[in-house]
Every structure is written in C-alpha cells, then in structure tokens.
Amino acid sequence: MRFEPLPPPATQAEAIATQDRLRPQVSLAGAVPDPLRRIAGLDVAYAVDDSRVAGAVTVLDADTLDVIETATVLRPVEFPYVPGLLAFREIPALLDCLAELTHVPDVLVCDGYGLAHPRRFGLACHLGVLTDLPTFGVAKTAFIGTFADPASPRGSHSDLVDDSVDAPEVIGRVLRTQTATKPVFVSTGHRISLDAATELTLRLTPKYRLPETTRQADQACRRALASAP
C-alpha cells in the first residue's frame, strides 16, 4: 500500500477546508467484507512533550484474532492540538504504517470517531477516504451527541444522536461489548454501514471492552514510543 505524502495544513481554516472538501467522498453503506480475512487496528501515542507521535497498525486474523503483522512509525508532530482536527496530527504516521504492511487489511478499525464528529468527518472517515478501505471508529467516550444508557447485557446498544442540529441525526451507536461494563461508541467511517461496524465490533471484543485491534495497536505504539532514543 502506497500513499502520497500529505503536507500538514498551514492553518486551522485550511484543515477545516480539507475536511469539507473530502467529506462528500464518504460512503456510509457497505456490508462486512466477504471474504473477511484480515482486520487492522490503528492507534497513536504521543511523547510527553508532544513533539513526536508513534503510529501503529496491527493486522489481526479475522477468525482467530491472532496478530499477523505490526508496523510502527515515529514522526514529529506537525499540527497543533485542536479538537475536531486530531486527524491531521495522526494520519501522516498511520499512513506511513499502512505503507509498510505486507498484508493488506480488509477493514480498518480506528481508535476514534468517524461520522460522530462535528463536521461528520472524523479520523475514520478521513482515513477511509484516503485509503478507500472499509473503515470505522470505536471510541472510549462520546465526542459529541446524546444517548440513552444501553441495557446491561453484552450486545445491548442505543443510538448516539446529534440533537444540536435542526433535524436530530443518528451519528453512531453506543454499544455494550461486555456485560455491566462501560459502553463504547461506534461510528462508521467509509464503505461500511453502522450495522456492519457494530457486528464487527462485537466480533472483536470476545473478552474485553475494547476491540482486540485497538488493544494490540495501543500496546504497539506505546512500545515504539518507549523504545525510541
């Protein structure tokens, strides 16, 4: 997988304009890929002084959830911390990781948001459009939106709704991946429906609250950062 280098936006306004330009390319439809062989988790970790970011992509076997391949990259942080624009800090490192893979994933799972974003273009949407791979986000907390707490059993869910607009809009799903634990927040990014993303999230959480893809990528980027000179 090869991607053109992305120059960082010079300003916040330029970053927002990029999101607005790319957003119409997002597709919110799509079934679970068939055959589904490999699922990749993507995550980043930042240096204490915020000068560097470690990106990680971990590819798992879709049936066993065993790790097939991991790629990590360390890069300087090239964009300031601005809520809603975090993708511009993370995508360069994640694209570098994807370019190193020898196994092309069938689905990307981001630790973050897709449609559940103020401009409907979170990290999962952005990466999905740039890679044209089915992509969705699973977040630990809600960035925007309101929701009813799902019932306690595993698999229970409720809608994540943006009711700050004239016509309230479902932007994600609040999903209980383990009985009596905090839910996660699933949102589609590109080329996959919310139902399909929810189904895959449950497949990826047989034992823990967070998807195994996220758990493995989180550990990988933290190791890369800790071992850097």
Side-chain angles (χ1 to χ4, degrees), residues 123-169:
L123 173 65
C125 295
H126 205 148
L127 266 175
V129 167
L130 293 179
T131 63
D132 199 32
L133 290 171
T135 307
F136 65 95
V138 181
K140 303 174 188 71
T141 59
F143 181 25
I144 63 168
T146 60
F147 59 94
D149 198 38
S152 180
R154 167 177 159 84
S156 301
H157 58 81
S158 61
D159 289 339
L160 179 64
V161 179
D162 185 357
D163 53 12
S164 68
V165 293
D166 292 338
E169 179 182 357

Side-chain angles (χ1 to χ4, degrees), residues 15 34 39 50 76 81 99 129 136 147 157 173 175 182 184 209:
D34 184 16
I39 308 175
D50 206 40
Y81 176 86
V129 167
F136 65 95
F147 59 94
H157 58 81
R173 188 160 288 163
L175 177 65
K182 292 180 180 179
V184 297
R209 174 189 176 224

